[in-house]
Amino acid sequence: MAVLLIGEVTDGALSVDATAKAVAAVTSLGDVTVLCAGANASEAAAEAAKIDGVSAVVCAEDASLGHRLAEPTAALIVSLAEDYSHIAAPGTTDAKNVMPRVAALLDVMVISEVTAVVDADTFERPIYAGNAIQTVKSADATKVMTIRTAGFDAAGMGGSASVSNVGAAADPALSEWVADKVASSDRPELTSAGVVVSGGRGVGSEDDFKLIEALADKLNAAVGASRAAVDSGYAPNDWQVGQTGKVVAPDLYVAVGISGAIQHLAGMKDSKIIVAINKDEEAPIFQVADFGLVADLFDAVPELTSKL
């Protein structure tokens, strides 16, 4: 058996953390080949070759692959599919856009958010906002899946895989790139940060969310938010943690003014240490927290920040 793993490449750079965690998840399935695709992907391919457990790297460079459009990327993957028993990708926004298209073109099911590989045909994934684990057994000739990388440790960086080049497949031309609007930040990326500080509806306003940001800066942490905070306009959408946002599993997760709705818990309950600050001692967040502080966040957070 052989695995084609889609490397996470953005603007020519490889997301090493997401890709290395996905490699660790699928190495038991056979030889792993990483596909790096983009307008400029050679540096990403060279970086992917260093990941332990990678047998080979395939680099595809073409202008049609340069703006993360799903259709040309899916066509490329399908053109390579016959040599692989499994096609996998880290469960990022790109993969959620591309992999269902790959599965449809191959006429197979897509197995999303895999958290464990039982054997070559059997996988585990969370359902019901993480309250149950579903075991999926697939009889498809080619298994197409996304990996929930938060549950895996990244593979090491001592490899030296070979790198080969392939051409792009015919572009279906079903969509076109107009513009990229990307939020920039000096803080760590949310899904790979070791520390995350998140604020909820209890923070009260966009201005007061600066308390969360100040604490995060002291901890060199990423900033997250609950859906309630995002919907209220306190924080941008790309900060959202939860079932309909990003799934994180940092070493430390600090939840401030977050009640702990089931949809939020689904996105952060695998964190190593969870700290909760909430004035409601009955808040559900305290049921999953390792450390809980019943206090007014407007008193506790500035004091904590000043002492740090």
Side-chain angles (χ1 to χ4, degrees):
M1 292 184 294
V3 182
L4 179 64
L5 176 68
I6 316 308
E8 180 72 6
V9 179
T10 305
D11 296 331
L14 180 73
S15 174
V16 177
D17 183 75
T19 306
K21 287 179 177 178
V23 169
V26 301
T27 47
S28 64
L29 295 171
D31 292 338
V32 179
T33 298
V34 175
L35 170 64
C36 292
N40 299 291
S42 56
E43 291 185 10
E47 194 70 15
K50 300 176 185 176
I51 300 175
D52 288 337
V54 174
S55 301
V57 177
V58 175
C59 177
E61 290 189 320
D62 190 83
S64 67
L65 303 169
H67 295 293
R68 302 162 73 182
L69 296 180
E71 293 88 357
T73 304
L76 169 65
I77 295 169
V78 170
S79 72
L80 302 172
E82 65 179 0
D83 295 328
Y84 301 95
S85 57
H86 297 76
I87 301 174
T92 61
T93 52
D94 279 354
K96 292 172 183 177
N97 195 16
V98 171
M99 299 303 276
R101 299 172 192 273
V102 172
L105 291 168
L106 294 174
D107 195 24
V108 299
M109 69 185 291
V110 61
I111 307 171
S112 60
E113 298 291 302
V114 169
T115 54
V117 175
V118 179
D119 59 38
D121 300 320
T122 313
F123 312 91
E124 292 181 357
R125 60 183 297 271
I127 57 173
Y128 303 133
N131 283 294
I133 301 298
Q134 180 183 57
T135 301
V136 180
K137 188 176 180 69
S138 171
D140 289 331
T142 304
K143 315 297 190 291
V144 176
M145 55 190 177
T146 63
I147 306 295
R148 178 174 284 194
T149 55
F152 297 93
D153 294 326
M157 296 297 293
S160 57
S162 61
V163 179
S164 59
N165 295 304
V166 296
D171 184 359
L174 297 173
S175 62
E176 64 179 10
W177 174 79
V178 176
D180 286 332
K181 294 185 178 180
V182 182
S184 59
S185 173
D186 293 332
R187 298 189 182 98
E189 205 280 321
L190 183 56
T191 55
S192 60
V195 182
V196 175
V197 180
S198 284
R201 194 201 310 268
V203 177
S205 71
E206 183 178 3
D207 288 341
D208 287 332
F209 224 85
K210 291 181 172 57
L211 293 173
I212 305 300
E213 296 180 58
L215 177 57
D217 290 341
K218 280 291 184 78
L219 293 170
N220 190 31
V223 178
S226 67
R227 177 170 181 170
V230 171
D231 287 349
S232 299
Y234 304 164
N237 183 265
D238 57 318
W239 287 4
Q240 184 175 323
V241 173
Q243 185 179 16
T244 54
K246 295 179 179 177
V247 177
V248 301
D251 295 327
L252 172 64
Y253 187 89
V254 183
V256 181
I258 294 175
S259 63
I262 188 172
Q263 291 86 352
H264 185 76
L265 300 184
M268 47 65 73
K269 66 182 181 180
D270 290 331
S271 304
K272 307 298 187 295
I273 300 291
I274 299 172
V275 175
I277 301 174
N278 199 299
K279 65 181 179 181
D280 178 10
E281 64 182 24
E282 300 298 326
I285 191 71
F286 289 124
Q287 296 177 15
V288 299
D290 298 285
F291 299 94
L293 175 62
V294 179
D296 188 323
L297 70 89
F298 296 103
D299 296 327
V301 173
E303 183 179 355
L304 177 58
T305 303
S306 66
K307 290 185 175 180
L308 286 169

